[in-house]
Amino acid sequence: MVELNGCAPRPLHVQRDGTLEIGDTTTFSHYLRGGAVTEVKRPKTVSHEPLDTALFQPCIVAQSPQEVHRAHCLHQAFHALHKFQQLHGRPPKPWDPVDAEMVVDLAQALESLKGTEGEPLEEQLDKALVRTVALSSAGGLSPMAAVLGAVAAQEVLKAVSKKFMPLDQWLYFDALDCLPEDEEPFPNPEDYAPRDCRYDGQIAVFGAGFQEKLSHQHYLLVGAGAIGCELLKGFALVGLGAGGSGGVTVADMDHVERSNLSRQFLFRPQDVGRPKAEVAAEAAHRLNSDLKVTPLTYQLDLTTEHIYGDNFFSSVDGVAAALDSFQARRYVAARCTHYLKPLLEAGTKGTLGSACVFIPHVTEDYRAPASAAASEDASYPVCTVRHFPSTTEHTLQWARDEFEGLFHLSAETVNCHQQALTSLAHLDESQVLTVQQVVLGVLRERPQTWQDCVLWALGQWQLCFHYGITQLLSRFPPDKVLENGTLFWSGPKQCPRPLEFDASQDTHLLYVLAAANLYAQMHGLPGSRDQTALRQLLKLLPLPDPQDLAPIFASDLELASAYAEFGPEQSKQLHEALEIWTVGPPLEPLTFEKDNDFHVDFVAAAASLRAQNYGIPPADRSKTKRIVGRITPAIATTTAAVAGLVGLELYKVVGSPRPRSAFRHSYLNLAENYFSRWVPHAPAIQKFHHWKWTCWDRLEVPAGQPERTLESLLAHVQKLNGLRVRMLLHGKALLYSAGWSPEKQDQHLSRRVMDLVLEVTRQVPKPEQRVLVLELSYEGEKEDVTFPPLHYKL
């Protein structure tokens, strides 16, 4: 159906059986197999009302009629605030009831807003909403500036790039839920009066008492990447931990890389190579000299619980997580649940962002999305990547594996063989194949010049993109039919075609240039960036003879594996070649770095050529760098927005105890102008007989003086009404409250708890450990229930 090639974009529909409906194809030639469908986003022209019209006939971006009505009331409130400013030359005083009522009166006196068709809107003004806006309007909050500034910046980018849908036409965002619900309607205005300090805007909203409390908080920030930098900047601006015993601890094990500089704004070029936590701490201190920031360069996981242990978390008031993996988020969330600490969590992917808050005994605990968590560990079958790629990701994985094998693994293998002529028996198939490509390829001895490196790179090009493909097609011709009558090259298996080397094509040249430079670096030789000279050199070099190229070995069951025939003769041949290569200094194994141009160029060119082999749309260089460098897509606008949303929830967490209705989970898509905030779920209640508990509950038992015996510990679990309960430590049965024979009970009841712990675990609790966590479970005839943990205080 070649008529589809190069045709204009057309709408298509995916049917339930997975087939595509693309319209009338009766005049087209017969469809055989294969093909790739590429999504095309069509441009759309939008227009807006001028400002003078839109002021009284607003088009509101909102998700529900209730939100539209609230936005209309806020629109009128701002009209009234502007009118108040014109009349009095100042904004309303903070929490001044007289000024607030004047604003309400002005709002009521305004002309009614009109709908999109020009008809008056018969809506009841929410006077309480307008009054609240007026009372707090004199203040200014950096989290609000971050959210709205991010939206405004994204609109500028939309206008400049003509990408994504612009706002149509007004967006109202309020966080009045940050204000305490149980306060007096009009608190003492003196507490909200200016202090001639950097926090006056915040004091005007929340009061001086709240500001003092905020300054004494001690928070743990996990992650100093894109979101972490924005959060730390926000903490400095609001004064979190900037007084008394307060402070912020920043934990991140990574170092600053050059690619970080475009979206992690606490870092500068001179910081490249330094620990992120240290650089971020210094930058935050420059923003607010009163802020006490402690950097820690250890990651949070099971291996560092001696650092982030009981003593550490006992001094922490809350945790903010800015992590880029669900595995890390789950671990940090589990620590917060264990220590009953509030958790503020944020994440982004391009223009998508989310911010969540988890409060002990108030909200649900953190749960990673099952599909997203599973995708982190997704891998592609080796045979698919090596021989049957069908997606761009397959070609990138293949190119990344090529880099690892050719420039890292081969050097390590040669070095190990150099130190002691070891057997090849310890190498797996892919390692043997890689070593053969290096030592049994075009060059049978170490390169001595730049031209040798170019010759090797040219031979590698031929091996991967021409000779290897012809070998594959000789085994599986394009018309090969399986026993069931279907074509071998059908479905996800796309029939490849060999490429012919052409130095005038940029991708061909880039592959040879990058591969030759990496090969030279691995052998301690000088390289070259001169593409013109390389083109001239390639004209003089003959294409390698296929007989000089190492054979391609295949591992999947469909292919006759030459590796299976790797016997004594082949092993001897490879050993002899390795002995030649071991003469000289050790090779330099190269580790892939996403900020190294030659590293990225090699992978990008290799993946693009592989995509050409199989008719797969190639990835551009930026996409290649993002995927193979495992860079989480992050843009400054989204990170600023989610950091602002986290800052708004921080106000609620630090303030007086709040009901669940005050907190908000948030989700946004700046590209599509989608903004959603909702109240978190309550923690799920679990029941067993008469007992109820949630994920935040635990049984706490003090050790006692003298140390408890098993009998005294069991007395503390009698609330279970004599149910047959067993206690476990690290999954091992430790104590039984019932079910023992009388002899065994008599033997153990008088023993000390810690003696039993030592006997079962063969480990002595560390001196800094304050709690021993025991698991309780019920084993009945029909039920298997997991109870809250038992915290035995040491």
Side-chain angles (χ1 to χ4, degrees):
M1 201 172 286
V2 295
E3 291 83 358
L4 289 174
N5 297 334
C7 70
R10 58 176 58 208
L12 58 81
H13 303 280
V14 181
Q15 306 300 305
R16 289 186 177 181
D17 62 356
T19 59
L20 300 178
E21 181 183 281
I22 61 176
D24 185 6
T25 60
T26 54
T27 62
F28 291 180
S29 55
H30 183 61
Y31 172 73
L32 297 178
R33 62 181 179 272
V37 177
T38 303
E39 180 185 9
V40 177
K41 293 189 176 182
R42 305 299 297 273
K44 182 178 180 180
T45 301
V46 296
S47 60
H48 303 293
E49 296 292 339
L51 178 60
D52 56 352
T53 301
L55 282 172
F56 300 98
Q57 189 175 322
C59 181
I60 302 291
V61 176
Q63 312 302 327
S64 67
Q66 294 79 11
E67 291 182 19
V68 171
H69 176 248
R70 185 178 180 88
H72 282 158
C73 293
L74 291 172
H75 195 78
Q76 293 293 69
F78 272 90
H79 270 292
L81 286 173
H82 293 156
K83 188 68 174 178
F84 185 97
Q85 178 80 31
Q86 292 174 2
L87 294 173
H88 302 279
R90 60 172 176 84
K93 297 176 183 177
W95 296 94
D96 186 288
V98 176
D99 282 1
E101 288 305 316
M102 292 177 64
V103 173
V104 173
D105 293 339
L106 289 171
Q108 289 181 301
L110 289 172
E111 179 184 347
S112 297
L113 297 178
K114 296 180 180 180
T116 55
E117 302 299 326
E119 74 284 358
L121 294 176
E122 301 298 333
E123 293 180 321
Q124 187 72 27
L125 182 69
D126 187 339
K127 292 189 290 185
L129 176 63
V130 176
R131 185 178 296 109
T132 303
V133 171
L135 289 169
S136 58
S137 62
L141 304 178
S142 66
M144 286 293 289
V147 175
L148 292 176
V151 174
Q154 189 66 56
E155 291 305 302
V156 172
L157 292 176
K158 291 176 183 178
V160 172
S161 66
K162 305 218 172 11
K163 188 175 183 180
F164 305 137
M165 185 60 65
L167 282 174
D168 185 27
Q169 181 162 17
W170 292 90
L171 170 69
Y172 273 95
F173 173 84
D174 76 271
L176 297 175
D177 42 86
C178 291
L179 299 175
E181 296 179 349
D182 57 353
E183 289 283 346
E184 293 293 328
F186 299 104
N188 182 8
E190 287 301 317
D191 192 38
Y192 298 81
R195 264 68 174 171
D196 194 24
C197 70
R198 66 183 302 163
Y199 308 120
D200 278 351
Q202 199 161 258
I203 291 173
V205 178
F206 298 111
F210 173 85
Q211 188 63 47
E212 182 71 13
K213 185 175 182 180
L214 191 67
S215 70
H216 286 83
Q217 294 287 298
H218 182 197
Y219 260 69
L220 168 64
L221 172 60
V222 189
I227 299 175
C229 283
E230 290 299 309
L231 286 176
L232 189 55
K233 180 180 73 175
F235 293 165
L237 295 178
V238 303
L240 178 71
S245 58
V248 176
T249 298
V250 185
D252 197 307
M253 65 174 292
D254 289 339
H255 291 70
V256 179
E257 299 179 10
R258 189 163 300 277
S259 61
N260 300 149
L261 302 181
S262 66
R263 61 192 183 280
Q264 300 175 19
F265 297 141
L266 297 186
F267 308 142
R268 296 292 181 267
Q270 63 268 25
D271 300 323
V272 172
R274 295 187 59 201
K276 284 185 175 181
E278 294 181 2
V279 178
E282 295 170 2
H285 185 72
R286 288 195 296 270
L287 289 172
N288 187 341
S289 59
D290 294 328
L291 181 65
K292 292 178 280 295
V293 188
T294 303
L296 292 178
T297 57
Y298 309 100
Q299 62 182 351
L300 249 74
D301 61 16
L302 290 170
T303 65
T304 56
E305 289 188 356
H306 62 289
I307 299 173
Y308 305 102
D310 295 346
N311 289 336
F312 176 85
F313 273 96
S314 66
S315 65
V316 169
D317 295 300
V319 177
L323 298 162
D324 57 3
S325 80
F326 287 103
Q327 179 182 0
R329 290 174 181 173
R330 283 194 298 267
Y331 177 81
V332 171
R335 292 283 85 192
C336 290
T337 302
H338 174 77
Y339 290 108
L340 297 180
K341 301 297 180 181
L343 171 64
L344 299 164
E345 191 271 336
T348 68
K349 184 177 181 181
T351 59
L352 307 178
S354 65
C356 299
V357 56
F358 305 95
I359 307 297
H361 303 296
V362 177
T363 72
E364 60 192 344
D365 62 342
Y366 174 82
R367 290 286 186 271
S371 58
S375 67
E376 284 189 343
D377 304 321
S379 61
Y380 304 113
V382 174
C383 61
T384 298
V385 171
R386 189 179 299 170
H387 303 296
F388 310 121
S390 58
T391 68
T392 302
E393 287 72 19
H394 291 162
T395 64
L396 290 171
Q397 184 62 57
W398 175 85
R400 182 67 176 82
D401 293 344
E402 280 285 290
F403 180 97
E404 187 71 16
L406 293 174
F407 307 117
H408 185 86
L409 178 61
S410 63
E412 286 189 335
T413 303
V414 170
N415 291 344
C416 290
H417 198 79
Q418 185 180 42
Q419 296 170 7
L421 295 180
T422 55
S423 169
L424 295 175
H426 70 286
L427 300 180
D428 64 23
E429 172 195 348
S430 63
Q431 292 172 322
V432 171
L433 300 181
T434 300
V435 173
Q436 287 189 97
Q437 289 186 36
V438 174
V439 304
L440 292 179
V442 176
L443 300 178
R444 296 305 173 92
E445 58 184 22
R446 289 192 178 202
Q448 303 298 317
T449 64
W450 167 244
Q451 181 171 322
D452 288 344
C453 297
V454 173
L455 183 61
W456 175 86
L458 182 60
Q460 196 63 30
W461 192 102
Q462 284 290 106
L463 176 65
C464 292
F465 310 114
H466 180 84
Y467 177 71
I469 300 299
T470 58
Q471 287 292 94
L472 185 63
L473 292 176
S474 69
R475 294 172 185 260
F476 302 103
D479 56 356
K480 180 178 176 60
V481 178
L482 300 176
E483 293 181 358
N484 61 7
T486 62
L487 285 169
F488 177 83
W489 296 106
S490 62
K493 288 190 177 77
Q494 302 190 48
C495 185
R497 64 179 181 87
L499 304 180
E500 299 294 335
F501 183 77
D502 183 355
S504 65
Q505 294 195 30
D506 291 341
T507 308
H508 295 209
L509 185 73
L510 182 62
Y511 178 91
V512 174
L513 179 68
N517 273 281
L518 295 172
Y519 196 65
Q521 181 183 351
M522 188 171 74
H523 289 85
L525 297 173
S528 172
R529 294 179 177 269
D530 191 335
Q531 296 190 21
T532 303
L534 178 60
R535 278 198 170 95
Q536 295 299 320
L537 177 58
L538 288 170
K539 291 179 180 179
L540 303 176
L541 295 177
L543 289 176
D545 190 317
Q547 299 300 320
D548 293 336
L549 298 175
I552 289 184
F553 299 107
S555 62
D556 74 284
L557 298 177
E558 295 282 352
L559 300 178
S561 177
Y563 177 71
E565 303 170 3
F566 191 79
E569 185 61 31
Q570 290 84 355
S571 180
K572 178 182 177 182
Q573 182 184 12
L574 187 53
H575 265 295
E576 291 174 350
L578 276 171
E579 289 182 27
I580 296 174
W581 279 68
T582 54
V583 177
L587 303 184
E588 179 187 350
L590 305 183
T591 300
F592 181 81
E593 298 176 4
K594 58 180 178 288
D595 291 323
N596 186 298
D597 287 341
F598 282 135
H599 292 199
V600 176
D601 287 344
F602 174 84
V603 173
S608 179
L609 292 165
R610 191 70 166 175
Q612 292 178 40
N613 278 139
Y614 285 88
I616 300 170
D620 58 26
R621 192 179 190 278
S622 61
K623 182 177 180 180
T624 297
K625 184 174 181 178
R626 176 172 61 80
I627 293 178
V628 301
R630 291 179 172 84
I631 301 173
T632 302
I635 57 177
T637 49
T638 317
T639 53
V642 298
L645 292 169
V646 167
L648 294 174
E649 298 307 306
L650 175 68
Y651 288 142
K652 307 169 190 177
V653 175
V654 173
S656 56
R658 307 291 296 276
R660 181 170 59 90
S661 60
F663 297 99
R664 298 289 186 273
H665 288 337
S666 302
Y667 175 82
L668 58 85
N669 183 344
L670 294 179
E672 300 180 1
N673 307 315
Y674 181 84
F675 306 88
S676 178
R677 302 179 77 215
W678 66 97
V679 176
H681 292 300
I685 297 176
Q686 303 180 61
K687 297 176 63 176
F688 183 76
H689 291 235
H690 65 282
W691 194 21
K692 297 180 181 179
W693 69 93
T694 73
C695 60
W696 300 104
D697 292 317
R698 71 280 315 281
L699 299 174
E700 295 186 351
V701 180
Q705 293 293 337
E707 186 183 328
R708 287 189 181 276
T709 63
L710 172 57
E711 185 175 22
S712 64
L713 177 59
L714 294 178
H716 278 265
V717 294
Q718 289 306 309
K719 62 178 66 178
L720 299 181
N721 293 332
L723 296 174
R724 183 170 298 174
V725 173
R726 67 174 181 172
M727 301 181 189
L728 303 99
L729 181 66
H730 304 312
K732 298 179 181 179
L734 179 63
L735 311 169
Y736 293 84
S737 64
W740 277 339
S741 63
E743 296 81 8
K744 199 168 186 179
Q745 285 186 0
D746 294 339
Q747 179 183 354
H748 289 281
L749 286 175
S750 60
R751 294 188 63 185
R752 295 190 305 170
V753 172
M754 294 311 298
D755 290 341
L756 289 170
V757 170
L758 181 59
E759 180 180 313
V760 172
T761 65
R762 301 185 184 279
Q763 294 180 1
V764 178
K766 296 179 175 60
E768 65 272 12
Q769 187 172 348
R770 299 185 180 186
V771 172
L772 191 68
V773 181
L774 302 176
E775 302 169 27
L776 302 180
S777 67
Y778 173 81
E779 293 186 340
E781 296 180 357
K782 297 182 180 180
E783 297 184 80
D784 186 4
V785 180
T786 300
F787 294 116
L790 174 66
H791 283 205
Y792 182 76
K793 296 184 178 180
L794 302 179

